[in-house]
Amino acid sequence: MDEVTGEVMGEVMVKAEQVWKSFGQLEVLKGIDLEVRNGEVVCVIGPSGSGKSTFLRCLNHLEKINAGRLWVNGQLMGYRQRGDKLHELREKEVAAQRRDIGMVFQRFNLFPHMTALENVVEAPIRVKRQAKASAMERGRELLTRVGLGDRCDSYPSQLSGGQQQRVAIARALAMEPKLMLFDEPTSALDPELVGEVLGVMRELALDGMTMVVVTHEMGFAREVADRVVFMDGGVVVEEGPPSQVIGDPKHERTRAFLSRVL
Ligand code: ADP
Ligand code: MG
């Protein structure tokens, strides 16, 4: 039985167990339970202020949780277990855990004084100590993969929002993450640029990347997500395949939300 459990845990990329997070008096996450399996694409939907970004930020150590447990890629985030005691990890060890997680934000956050290629190779060279030549070669491949092979030498200000966001995706991929987190990656884009970014994300999903995507793009969620999670008021209200959660929601709160965004 243990063996079976072990095998199942090995297939789980993210496990959140009763995750609570507050900012001062404001309770934002109120016991999130969620699992993401290897290779799975999970879309998180829900009203503004429901805690979606906070949850993603907790997954990536950008916020510290107040209670509960988070595992990513088999590691308990922020802690090491010795016997039955938990010890907080040092900053360096936390940084090592974060290295396996790529994150793409609503705003593109590229370094403005660096070209697309320099943005992509910065972390592999500085953090992973990759040799410059091989990092550059790999960076060009990644930019080609997101359709920007001919824009390696462009600065962010010379690129459209959609192109900048694709550079941001390539930059995250350059660290060879095991998990990719997307926080409303198309919300800041002009409508005509949304498709090119979703297209890159769809390709990534088809390649088997494990992804958690906070999005209001219901078409994308329906088509690409293996599972949709509806969050409201700091809890997971309902989850399931897109056809069920978006197509035939069980909860009134989900229905009310969908009627506003669809
Ligand atoms: P969502 O992404 O679903 O819109 P957020 O996770 O961004 O929701 O925010 C949930 C709530 O937490 C909001 O009320 C927001 O104002 C609050 N919040 C988020 N980050 C902070 C912070 N650093 N300090 C104080 N309050 C915050
Ligand atoms: Mg948000």
Side-chain angles (χ1 to χ4, degrees):
M1 199 63 191
D2 273 343
E3 230 167 80
V4 174
T5 316
E7 207 169 282
V8 170
M9 274 306 286
E11 291 173 5
V12 175
M13 177 61 73
V14 174
K15 187 174 165 69
E17 213 175 76
Q18 280 300 301
V19 167
W20 288 71
K21 171 71 187 170
S22 44
F23 297 104
Q25 299 292 323
L26 181 69
E27 277 186 336
V28 175
L29 302 180
K30 303 175 187 174
I32 300 279
D33 291 307
L34 189 71
E35 251 183 42
V36 181
R37 302 168 77 84
N38 284 335
E40 204 176 22
V41 177
V42 171
C43 283
V44 180
I45 62 172
S48 177
S50 56
K52 305 180 302 294
S53 295
T54 302
F55 179 65
L56 280 198
R57 292 169 61 80
C58 289
L59 278 179
N60 198 15
H61 280 302
L62 292 172
E63 300 289 353
K64 203 162 177 246
I65 65 178
N66 301 117
R69 300 256 188 275
L70 270 177
W71 287 264
V72 176
N73 196 29
Q75 291 187 62
L76 181 59
M77 298 300 272
Y79 296 91
R80 179 191 313 106
Q81 188 151 12
R82 243 193 248 126
D84 51 6
K85 275 215 170 137
L86 289 178
H87 299 267
E88 264 192 62
L89 294 183
R90 287 188 290 269
E91 211 170 300
K92 253 193 168 171
E93 297 168 306
V94 167
Q97 287 187 335
R98 289 189 65 192
R99 221 163 281 164
D100 284 340
I101 305 169
M103 187 152 177
V104 177
F105 301 87
Q106 186 173 342
R107 298 259 158 222
F108 329 122
N109 308 107
L110 297 176
F111 300 114
H113 59 289
M114 293 184 184
T115 65
L117 183 59
E118 285 167 350
N119 266 280
V120 172
V121 301
E122 192 269 344
I125 291 173
R126 185 180 50 84
V127 180
K128 282 202 160 172
R129 310 249 175 247
Q130 278 179 14
K132 191 166 176 196
S134 58
M136 299 279 264
E137 192 186 329
R138 172 92 180 118
R140 283 203 181 84
E141 278 169 24
L142 285 168
L143 283 169
T144 303
R145 184 168 164 196
V146 300
L148 294 172
D150 56 344
R151 303 307 300 268
C152 289
D153 300 322
S154 301
Y155 286 88
S157 62
Q158 300 169 319
L159 299 171
S160 72
Q163 290 171 329
Q164 290 182 54
Q165 198 58 311
R166 287 186 280 147
V167 174
I169 293 173
R171 184 176 63 174
L173 292 175
M175 289 297 279
E176 299 179 323
K178 304 228 165 62
L179 169 68
M180 283 285 285
L181 308 174
F182 292 88
D183 192 359
E184 299 196 33
T186 60
S187 295
L189 297 177
D190 292 335
E192 73 272 20
L193 303 178
V194 168
E196 63 191 60
V197 173
L198 293 180
V200 165
M201 292 167 63
R202 186 181 296 118
E203 290 294 315
L204 201 53
L206 287 173
D207 278 351
M209 178 60 79
T210 311
M211 297 165 50
V212 182
V213 184
V214 174
T215 186
H216 293 295
E217 296 291 335
M218 293 303 144
F220 177 84
R222 258 180 194 274
E223 190 198 334
V224 180
D226 296 300
R227 211 144 41 83
V228 173
V229 171
F230 173 65
M231 267 178 76
D232 194 9
V235 296
V236 172
V237 173
E238 104 172 75
E239 62 170 288
S243 57
Q244 188 246 299
V245 176
I246 299 175
D248 185 20
K250 285 197 196 100
H251 288 259
E252 182 48 42
R253 279 153 86 184
T254 319
R255 260 179 252 139
F257 170 74
L258 288 170
S259 74
R260 290 200 301 274
V261 297
L262 285 178

